[in-house]
Amino acid sequence: MPFAVGKGVAASPVSLPPAEADLAARLAAAEALDASLVSLLEAQTQSFRTLDRQLGAARLLQQTEAHIGQMADLWRYALPGPHRTALAAALAEGAALAGWQALDLGDPGKAWALHETAKAAARDSEDPSIVAHVTAQQAYALLDLDRPASAVALIQHARRTADGKVPGQLRSWLWAAEAEALAAAGAATEAQTALDNASEVLAAHGKDDSLPFLFLDEVHLARWRGHCLARLGKAAAVQELTDAVNQLDPTFTRAAAGLRVDLAQAYSVRGQHEEARTEARAAEVLATRASSERQRRRIAKLLRSGMEPSGR
């Protein structure tokens, strides 16, 4: 005879098999998703971004991965709607940040995988700016594997797909990233054209507050331009990079390390080996402070090319 639940008598909870209970719990957690929660998660990503540029990836990657794991779990079980779309955008940028951190720690395989997560979430967000950013940034794993032609193709795909759909600051960033890949491929004329396009677009549009994941202004673009010129062995790189050194926000520790490596390379090409050694030593200090394996490898490669620092 079935048990009748009388008035004021609570029904016994239904016991679900473990797999069903787990799914029910995850769906229930995702139901708590709202605009304020997404904002909190985005703010946490921004705090990791700020800490990363000063302290380096070694101290933060594990935390960033845990953060994106939490967002990914909510995203996978959230029902369609504006909150899921907003969370997808937050996850995409968080995963791209973790991917960049993995790359800086010398793990291009993990960086590639994290950017695949970022791209999947970006597509779900339906935000062309985020899709373009995380796709183009993935190309840096290809550059670190010495596959510049593939990197050029990936960035050009991102830029062309985004054409007419994204803010000017991002278009400038995409041109600058393409210039870097072209310089790595030795395509000097094409790289210069891409740099000119980046400068022209940035001058016309400037900073866009809707793109918190982009650090691009005239100083950062000068740093980028100097990197490309140094890679191509151009004498003008020294002045570009020196100006950027003097103007760069000192909180960008890892960026400053990369800039000093570029300057060391530029001086070495000009035969100014003492100045090159000075910059290499400064780069080593900054790379150590930021725990940047990527910049350490660049320094080691530069030293192997024949520019041995004095006293070693």
Side-chain angles (χ1 to χ4, degrees):
M1 180 177 178
F3 176 73
V5 179
K7 186 177 181 181
V9 179
S12 298
V14 177
S15 179
L16 295 174
E20 292 182 24
D22 180 67
L23 174 59
R26 290 174 185 273
L27 288 168
E31 286 175 354
L33 187 64
D34 59 17
S36 63
L37 179 55
V38 173
S39 293
L40 285 172
L41 292 168
E42 289 177 328
Q44 191 170 0
T45 300
Q46 184 60 32
S47 71
F48 284 141
R49 237 183 238 120
T50 303
L51 289 168
D52 172 68
R53 77 188 193 207
Q54 296 184 59
L55 301 178
R59 298 172 178 85
L60 289 169
L61 179 56
Q62 189 174 13
Q63 296 178 62
T64 310
E65 287 186 291
H67 174 53
I68 65 173
Q70 182 182 53
M71 287 195 288
D73 201 49
L74 287 171
W75 171 59
R76 291 188 185 101
Y77 294 94
L79 297 180
H83 299 322
R84 178 188 168 104
T85 300
L87 178 62
L91 171 60
E93 282 308 323
L97 173 62
W100 187 257
Q101 291 173 338
L103 193 65
D104 193 52
L105 293 176
D107 192 343
K110 176 180 279 192
W112 184 270
L114 285 164
H115 278 90
E116 284 297 306
T117 298
K119 288 194 299 183
R123 287 190 290 267
D124 195 36
S125 79
E126 300 179 349
D127 186 327
S129 292
I130 295 177
V131 173
H133 178 242
V134 302
T135 301
Q137 186 173 280
Q138 188 179 37
Y140 281 86
L142 296 170
L143 286 176
D144 280 18
L145 291 172
D146 197 25
R147 299 173 65 92
S150 297
V152 170
L154 184 55
I155 296 170
Q156 287 180 338
H157 167 75
R159 177 179 58 76
R160 290 167 180 163
T161 302
D163 190 38
K165 303 174 186 175
V166 302
Q169 186 186 23
L170 179 56
R171 286 194 289 119
S172 176
W173 185 91
L174 289 166
W175 276 117
E178 185 173 331
E180 182 171 354
L182 287 165
T189 301
E190 294 87 346
Q192 186 60 63
T193 298
L195 286 170
D196 291 343
N197 289 339
S199 296
E200 181 180 340
V201 173
L202 186 63
H205 296 277
K207 181 173 172 53
D208 191 311
D209 292 334
S210 70
L211 305 172
F213 47 83
L214 279 192
F215 296 111
L216 183 64
D217 56 19
E218 290 297 341
V219 175
H220 284 281
L221 187 56
R223 178 171 64 88
W224 224 328
R225 188 163 48 244
H227 170 84
C228 294
L229 294 175
R231 189 135 198 182
L232 292 167
K234 302 292 186 180
V238 169
Q239 189 59 55
E240 288 277 5
L241 292 166
T242 300
D243 291 344
V245 164
N246 294 331
Q247 297 177 59
L248 184 67
D249 181 339
T251 64
F252 285 83
T253 307
R254 182 173 54 218
L259 201 163
R260 295 282 184 179
V261 179
D262 291 334
L263 193 49
Q265 182 177 357
Y267 275 128
S268 182
V269 167
R270 286 170 47 155
Q272 295 176 256
H273 297 299
E274 189 56 43
E275 290 87 346
R277 286 190 286 268
T278 298
E279 294 301 332
R281 286 193 293 268
E284 283 184 305
V285 170
L286 291 166
T288 299
R289 185 185 305 167
S291 303
S292 177
E293 181 62 24
R294 187 169 186 255
Q295 296 303 335
R296 285 185 187 131
R297 288 179 181 180
R298 291 186 64 213
I299 295 166
K301 183 177 180 179
L302 184 61
L303 296 179
R304 285 197 303 272
S305 70
M307 192 206 71
E308 291 294 340
S310 57
R312 288 195 175 188

